Amino acid sequence: MTNPTPLNPDALEAAAKSLDVNYNPEQWPVMASMMRDYAEAAVSAYLAVAQPVVNSMEELEALPVGSVILSESYQYSLTVPNYPVVFQKLYTQEWHRGGRLADTHPEIIIPARVIYQPEVDDA
């Protein structure tokens, strides 16, 4: 399974510009392309750590209470196009999507991208 990171083209362009003060895509197209590649690699590496993809039940269970994930497989099917659904891990260790009283079986929501993890005090 691929693990694409959610990269915004405008954000990549801004990141590429930040790498070189002389960034000019019209004058130096090869250099501009290389800067975009560097920016994409850097941002992808950052997001892989900041917003990792959970692919197994063990990884999902290891997330702390309060974590929020965006499911890549569970889609809101009442709209076209279908939209991904966000789930939060509650103190009961169950995963709930907004406004629902019942929990959702975790096996149907993975793979999922972690979009928030609370800091956990191990003390």
Side-chain angles (χ1 to χ4, degrees):
M1 161 173 234
T2 60
N3 184 8
T5 52
L7 300 179
N8 176 313
D10 294 335
L12 281 178
E13 195 70 19
K17 286 178 185 175
S18 75
L19 293 172
D20 185 358
V21 293
N22 300 314
Y23 181 83
N24 184 339
E26 291 78 31
Q27 184 178 4
W28 305 101
V30 173
M31 183 63 79
S33 176
M34 194 168 68
M35 289 296 142
R36 278 192 297 275
D37 290 345
Y38 288 152
E40 183 172 357
V43 173
S44 293
Y46 167 79
L47 288 176
V49 174
Q51 295 184 337
V53 173
V54 173
N55 290 301
S56 70
M57 288 295 297
E58 292 78 21
E59 293 171 331
L60 193 65
E61 290 169 0
L63 292 173
V65 168
S67 295
V68 178
I69 59 173
L70 180 66
S71 177
E72 295 182 3
S73 58
Y74 192 99
Q75 301 281 311
Y76 185 68
S77 59
L78 297 178
T79 61
V80 176
N82 295 343
Y83 296 105
V85 177
V86 173
F87 295 87
Q88 184 173 25
K89 187 174 187 178
L90 301 182
Y91 64 92
T92 61
Q93 304 296 316
E94 297 173 326
W95 288 92
H96 288 253
R97 64 182 165 116
R100 287 196 68 207
L101 295 176
D103 64 309
T104 300
H105 196 281
E107 286 183 352
I108 66 171
I109 61 178
I110 51 177
R113 181 167 303 281
V114 177
I115 57 175
Y116 172 76
Q117 285 188 73
E119 293 189 26
V120 178
D121 184 11
D122 292 331

